[in-house]
Amino acid sequence: MSYFTGLVLILVSSAIVNNVVLSQFLGLCPFLGVSKKVETAAGMGGAVIFVITIASFVSSVIFKYILAPTGFEYMQTIVFILVIAALVQFVEMFLKKAVPSLYRSLGVYLPLITTNCAVLGTAINNVTNNYDILESVINGFGVAVGFTIAIVIMAGIREKIEYNDIPETFKGSAIVLITAGLMAMAFLGFSGVI
Amino acid sequence: MKKNLERLVNGLWKENPTFVLMLGMCPTLAVTTSAINGIGMGLSTTVVLVLSNMMISALRNIIPDRVRMPAFIVVVASFVTMVQFLMQGFVPSLYSSLGIYIPLIVVNCIILGRAESYASKNPVIPSMFDGIGMGLGFTVGLTFIGVVREILGNGSAFDVPIKALNDYHITLFGLAPGAFIVLGFLVAVMNVVRRKMEAIGKPLPAVQGCLAGDCGGCTLSSACTGKSLVHPKTEEIPVNPKDVAKPVPDTNIDVKQTANTKNTEDVEKSGSDSSYADDDIQGKGDDK
């Protein structure tokens, strides 16, 4: 299997087969919290793609060139979380100054993801799976795309169930969770693909 | 002593993180494929929670208010790393089945939430008991969901097969969709309980976590309210110079608790936006 095929497999597997929300349960907070409208869900998805891709790159560079040579691999949790937290703040400041138009559309969502478990989880997964830097970036991008797919579909469904006649007891997060369960069931169908 | 006991009961029962506050949903869904996994995750979270609560409470007068979040994260992450190594050494099978969710204890809402709302304002011993109570409450919650999913999905409980269920288990409940569905039904049951409790005049504290419709419960997502991780200097000048070291006056906790127990309108009915934002609570405190 060539290196390129490997990259494609990583992308498909992280985006669809092992969907970050629906089969790994990471990033549930924004998935349940920001999925009321399709536009906001898409905005959130954009911000997540942006942050996770950059965070995967930075964390894997740090692991490869700083932690691994010095034998500090066990510090990865502490280092990654601090780097990610700082990175999100930095990205926010940078966007505000350099690309104000992008900041206007993504800015509100950026602080939300500061220590989202999906970001940290992806960084740690990259290390556990021994991905090199390019593979990490692809994996991060795939994870984020998977998140965006899930949250946008969820928002679409929620816009519709708004008008449905749901039993009083199940209104609110109960029905959302059960909907997520049905979506997860659908995504289980991809499990044989790779 | 009475206060310590009260903290224990509070965590285990009154403000149970899984059933009442609905915090820490990521690990709740992910690791409850079996009861044993639930217990393992619950206990490791408890250990981290107790240690970090004690450490943060001991350091509460030293940590500058502005950088308290990063400081809390470092403390929690250090303990998580230790627990991770201990588990890898002593319970390797549990370590491999919990996998990535052990390092992710760092971002568990419960731990940073308790650090921010209790440990950073209270002495060491009550903080320790608060940690034990909350941790055990979380363990009970995870174990309960774990047992339900294991019985439905695998026809066994605590790894002991139940003969009668040999041919009648639904594998789906052990997989990802089962987790969502079981939690969905748990939320529905809790909605009923909430309504009953409200009817007899003893409303439960509001849901705080992701399920409240916003991430208000996760302290780190105080970002939700537009705050950044490094808190900007507040302009309020404390009256008593002694209070400078203590970032938030102790009375705040009482305010929060009364707000929690008193406000029926705040009690989550149907996943509407019941926010846990500081401003909200402070506003209510002022009314009082």
Side-chain angles (χ1 to χ4, degrees):
Chain A
M1 190 172 65
S2 74
Y3 184 68
F4 183 73
T5 329
L7 289 184
V8 174
L9 281 187
I10 288 177
L11 184 66
V12 175
S13 130
S14 57
I16 296 177
V17 181
N18 293 314
N19 188 287
V20 62
V21 183
L22 298 171
S23 80
Q24 312 278 316
F25 305 108
L26 301 178
L28 275 177
C29 246
F31 178 70
L32 299 171
V34 201
S35 59
K36 278 193 182 129
K37 284 207 186 88
V38 173
E39 293 99 73
T40 38
M44 185 73 198
V48 166
I49 292 181
F50 201 76
V51 169
I52 295 193
T53 313
I54 297 178
S56 303
F57 173 71
V58 174
S59 62
S60 97
V61 166
I62 286 180
F63 189 82
K64 192 168 179 202
Y65 292 108
I66 299 178
L67 294 184
T70 49
F72 275 122
E73 285 101 336
Y74 63 89
M75 293 287 280
Q76 55 170 348
T77 314
I78 303 179
V79 171
F80 284 177
I81 186 121
L82 288 179
V83 165
I84 289 168
L87 182 82
V88 176
Q89 304 263 310
F90 182 74
V91 166
E92 196 188 350
M93 280 190 281
F94 175 78
L95 281 187
K96 207 174 190 173
K97 262 273 186 276
V99 206
S101 59
L102 192 61
Y103 178 77
R104 266 195 298 279
S105 53
L106 299 186
V108 247
Y109 307 105
L110 283 176
L112 271 176
I113 355 178
T114 314
T115 44
N116 184 319
C117 40
V119 188
L120 181 63
T122 312
I124 294 175
N125 259 341
N126 287 338
V127 171
T128 357
N129 292 338
N130 283 326
Y131 287 154
D132 64 22
I133 293 174
L134 182 61
E135 283 170 336
S136 301
V137 173
I138 298 283
N139 183 42
F141 180 72
V143 164
V145 167
F147 176 85
T148 312
I149 295 174
I151 196 173
V152 170
I153 296 179
M154 181 51 132
I157 299 176
R158 278 184 80 171
E159 279 187 358
K160 294 275 186 273
I161 26 182
E162 195 89 323
Y163 305 104
N164 285 6
D165 190 16
I166 300 161
E168 187 62 37
T169 319
F170 280 90
K171 270 186 186 155
S173 38
I175 195 71
V176 174
L177 282 167
I178 291 172
T179 313
L182 296 177
M183 280 170 67
M185 224 183 279
F187 271 75
L188 263 191
F190 290 112
S191 59
V193 173
I194 290 181
Chain B
M1 202 56 225
K2 207 182 159 206
K3 196 183 175 192
N4 296 339
L5 201 68
E6 185 264 325
R7 290 325 298 170
L8 273 181
V9 176
N10 183 61
L12 267 171
W13 187 250
K14 262 197 284 178
E15 289 194 11
N16 185 298
T18 307
F19 299 125
V20 182
L21 302 184
M22 303 253 165
L23 287 174
M25 283 302 133
C26 289
T28 306
L29 287 170
V31 303
T32 51
T33 44
S34 72
I36 299 286
N37 280 356
I39 292 187
M41 185 70 195
L43 289 183
S44 32
T45 310
T46 309
V47 172
V48 175
L49 183 56
V50 171
L51 292 175
S52 70
N53 258 9
M54 287 168 73
M55 178 67 98
I56 285 166
S57 145
L59 295 176
R60 71 186 185 282
N61 293 336
I62 302 171
I63 299 174
D65 193 32
R66 287 186 67 194
V67 291
R68 61 175 192 275
M69 270 307 144
F72 293 170
I73 296 177
V74 173
V75 171
V76 176
S78 321
F79 285 123
V80 168
T81 310
M82 287 179 211
V83 167
Q84 196 177 348
F85 275 114
L86 289 174
M87 289 181 75
Q88 202 169 3
F90 291 104
V91 274
S93 60
L94 187 65
Y95 176 80
S96 58
S97 68
L98 295 183
I100 194 182
Y101 299 99
I102 300 173
L104 286 180
I105 295 177
V106 181
V107 282
N108 191 322
C109 304
I110 301 173
I111 293 181
L112 283 158
R114 289 329 282 175
E116 166 85 349
S117 67
Y118 196 86
S120 63
K121 294 159 195 162
N122 286 281
V124 177
I125 298 296
S127 301
M128 184 180 88
F129 278 95
D130 183 70
I132 298 176
M134 278 286 162
L136 290 183
F138 188 55
T139 311
V140 170
L142 288 191
T143 314
F144 175 75
I145 300 179
V147 167
V148 170
R149 281 184 65 193
E150 203 183 334
I151 291 177
L152 288 173
N154 199 25
S156 63
F158 295 94
D159 287 346
V160 181
I162 301 170
K163 277 225 176 79
L165 293 174
N166 258 353
D167 302 324
Y168 297 101
H169 50 82
I170 313 160
T171 316
L172 189 77
F173 279 97
L175 302 172
F180 284 110
I181 293 172
V182 168
L183 191 69
F185 276 93
L186 178 70
V187 172
V189 170
M190 285 314 292
N191 280 345
V192 176
V193 174
R194 266 166 206 290
R195 219 164 315 133
K196 290 265 154 68
M197 293 299 279
E198 229 169 283
I200 62 167
K202 284 186 198 162
L204 296 178
V207 170
Q208 289 183 356
C210 327
L211 294 184
D214 66 358
C215 327
C218 284
T219 326
L220 281 169
S221 313
S222 60
C224 280
T225 49
K227 288 179 217 153
S228 61
L229 190 68
V230 176
H231 296 262
K233 239 181 192 157
T234 41
E235 282 167 25
E236 286 173 64
I237 299 158
V239 190
N240 189 343
K242 270 185 193 166
D243 286 343
V244 178
K246 258 188 222 169
V248 186
D250 283 347
T251 50
N252 217 15
I253 307 138
D254 301 329
V255 170
K256 188 198 138 215
Q257 274 170 357
T258 39
N260 263 345
T261 43
K262 267 193 174 178
N263 280 296
T264 37
E265 74 271 16
D266 220 309
V267 172
E268 159 93 347
K269 271 180 203 151
S270 52
S272 62
D273 291 331
S274 79
S275 156
Y276 177 57
D278 295 355
D279 321 350
D280 216 358
I281 288 156
Q282 234 128 37
K284 268 153 201 160
D286 291 344
D287 290 345
K288 185 169 67 86

